[in-house]
Amino acid sequence: MQGPYKFQKALNNNVVIAESENGKEVIFIGKGIGFGKKSGEIFEAKTYDKLYSLVDEIEQEKYLKLVTKETEETLLVIHEAIEKIHDAIGFRLIERIHSALTQHMVLALQRTKDETDIKNPFLTETKWLYHQTYLIAGDVVNFIYEKTGYKLPEAETGFITLHIQSAIRDSHSVINKESDILTRCVRYVEEKLGLELKKDMPQFRRFVRHLKNIIDDPLTENTTKLDKSIIFSLKEKESLCYNISRNLVRMIEKSTGVSISDSEVMHLTIYVRTLMEQHN
């Protein structure tokens, strides 16, 4: 969307309304873009860095309800925070998610100021399933704290993670691919062991961390004689856990296209056996 557009009015220094050549209104959001502008001026979006546009009328209406004198500074901080998200994930949020996330963070800040107790029943699962995205959300929360003096609770970090993940899910990013593999691996283990793994246990966190290590940096060299001996013993004595682990490695191989050493099966078998013991 490069324009040109005809400037109509500034809602504040950071939000302007412009009109396209076909007469449609567009809301532009960006730091200082409304300063000194006059009605009827040509407004070219391509001349601005880190500019965001809202074209959809429904999203425009939702956003306009947020723009008040009281929220102007808050919205500026949130726009800067969303730019950090763009930089972290490598692409810009689609209009619907940008709008929803903005609304959520405005309300989150207000709830924090009011000291409202927020519950997030999905927090533990969100943290292990979307770990990389959760770290991005944590950086956003820290940025908002630096700018406003209000620290959003961990529950809100989880909700922000889910908003960001919604955007990632529609992309072909590495973050989404890894989350998908982890989910399938955990679900497979639960199915084969016939139990629901407790996501807040340290043993579970170590298991997921090791799965991530296999995805990101797997052992690929030939299996050593010692490992072969241990694998043979595990195969005989821990056949269930061994078969689960072998299939987990095959799932990861299929997803990543990397041939993985059987030594990883050995390591995973021990993790799976530990999980089973903790749940008995």
Side-chain angles (χ1 to χ4, degrees):
M1 294 190 64
Q2 295 185 348
Y5 299 89
K6 188 179 291 185
F7 179 83
Q8 288 188 321
K9 63 179 178 179
L11 299 182
N12 54 52
N13 283 338
N14 311 303
V15 182
V16 304
I17 295 179
E19 185 180 274
S20 66
E21 291 181 312
N22 61 7
K24 293 201 70 173
E25 281 193 349
V26 178
I27 294 177
F28 286 104
I29 306 162
K31 189 172 183 179
I33 61 172
F35 184 76
K37 290 289 183 296
K38 295 179 181 178
S39 180
E41 277 187 31
I42 295 299
F43 182 92
E44 293 192 77
K46 64 182 179 181
T47 63
Y48 294 89
D49 292 329
K50 297 185 176 180
L51 189 68
Y52 199 85
S53 61
L54 290 177
V55 180
D56 185 88
E57 292 180 4
I58 295 175
E59 299 305 334
Q60 285 188 32
E61 185 179 347
K62 290 177 182 177
Y63 185 82
L64 288 173
K65 289 179 181 178
L66 295 175
V67 182
T68 67
K69 195 170 183 179
E70 290 74 25
T71 63
E72 182 175 350
E73 290 302 317
T74 296
L75 285 171
L76 179 56
V77 170
I78 289 171
H79 296 155
E80 290 184 67
I82 290 177
E83 284 300 333
K84 289 187 174 297
I85 294 172
H86 293 158
D87 292 341
I89 64 178
F91 59 90
R92 301 182 74 77
L93 303 179
I94 63 172
E95 194 168 316
R96 172 180 55 80
I97 294 174
H98 184 285
S99 180
L101 183 54
T102 301
Q103 293 174 67
H104 180 86
M105 288 200 282
V106 167
L107 293 173
L109 264 172
Q110 189 57 56
R111 286 192 291 259
T112 303
K113 292 175 183 177
D114 295 341
E115 298 183 351
T116 304
D117 185 30
I118 303 299
K119 303 293 184 185
N120 185 344
F122 312 108
L123 181 60
T124 300
E125 189 165 20
T126 299
K127 287 170 71 174
W128 71 258
L129 181 55
Y130 308 124
H131 179 68
Q132 286 181 266
T133 311
Y134 184 84
L135 294 179
I136 295 171
D139 289 340
V140 167
V141 168
N142 289 334
F143 175 78
I144 292 173
Y145 175 61
E146 290 171 7
K147 294 292 185 179
T148 67
Y150 289 97
K151 182 76 169 181
L152 300 183
E154 193 176 22
E156 294 290 7
T157 306
F159 288 129
I160 293 171
T161 299
L162 294 177
H163 278 285
I164 300 171
Q165 193 63 34
S166 293
I168 292 172
R169 189 177 297 115
D170 296 331
S171 73
H172 299 289
S173 71
V174 173
I175 297 174
N176 185 56
K177 187 176 182 180
E178 181 178 282
S179 297
D180 179 61
I181 298 172
L182 287 174
T183 303
R184 289 190 286 114
C185 286
V186 170
R187 297 289 181 258
Y188 178 78
V189 172
E190 289 182 322
E191 177 189 342
K192 294 303 178 182
L193 293 182
L195 51 83
E196 182 177 350
L197 298 176
K198 297 175 183 176
K199 312 302 190 299
D200 56 347
M201 293 174 58
Q203 292 83 0
F204 177 81
R205 291 196 295 271
R206 293 190 187 101
F207 168 66
V208 171
R209 194 177 302 123
H210 189 71
L211 284 174
K212 284 172 59 63
N213 288 339
I214 297 176
I215 295 168
D216 298 335
D217 188 24
L219 293 174
T220 56
E221 65 268 15
N222 293 332
T223 308
T224 66
K225 289 183 178 180
L226 176 60
D227 283 355
K228 286 181 179 179
S229 174
I230 297 173
I231 289 169
F232 180 79
S233 178
L234 289 172
K235 189 176 181 180
E236 291 291 315
K237 297 178 180 178
E238 302 291 346
S239 59
L240 174 61
C241 297
Y242 171 83
N243 287 328
I244 290 173
S245 301
R246 183 191 57 189
N247 289 333
L248 290 177
V249 168
R250 301 298 174 262
M251 288 165 63
I252 294 171
E253 284 182 325
K254 187 174 180 179
S255 296
T256 62
V258 176
S259 182
I260 299 172
S261 168
D262 282 343
S263 296
E264 295 288 21
V265 178
M266 173 189 71
H267 298 142
L268 271 177
T269 300
I270 296 170
Y271 279 105
V272 173
R273 184 69 179 90
T274 302
L275 283 175
M276 189 169 68
E277 285 181 355
Q278 293 297 321
H279 286 77
N280 285 339

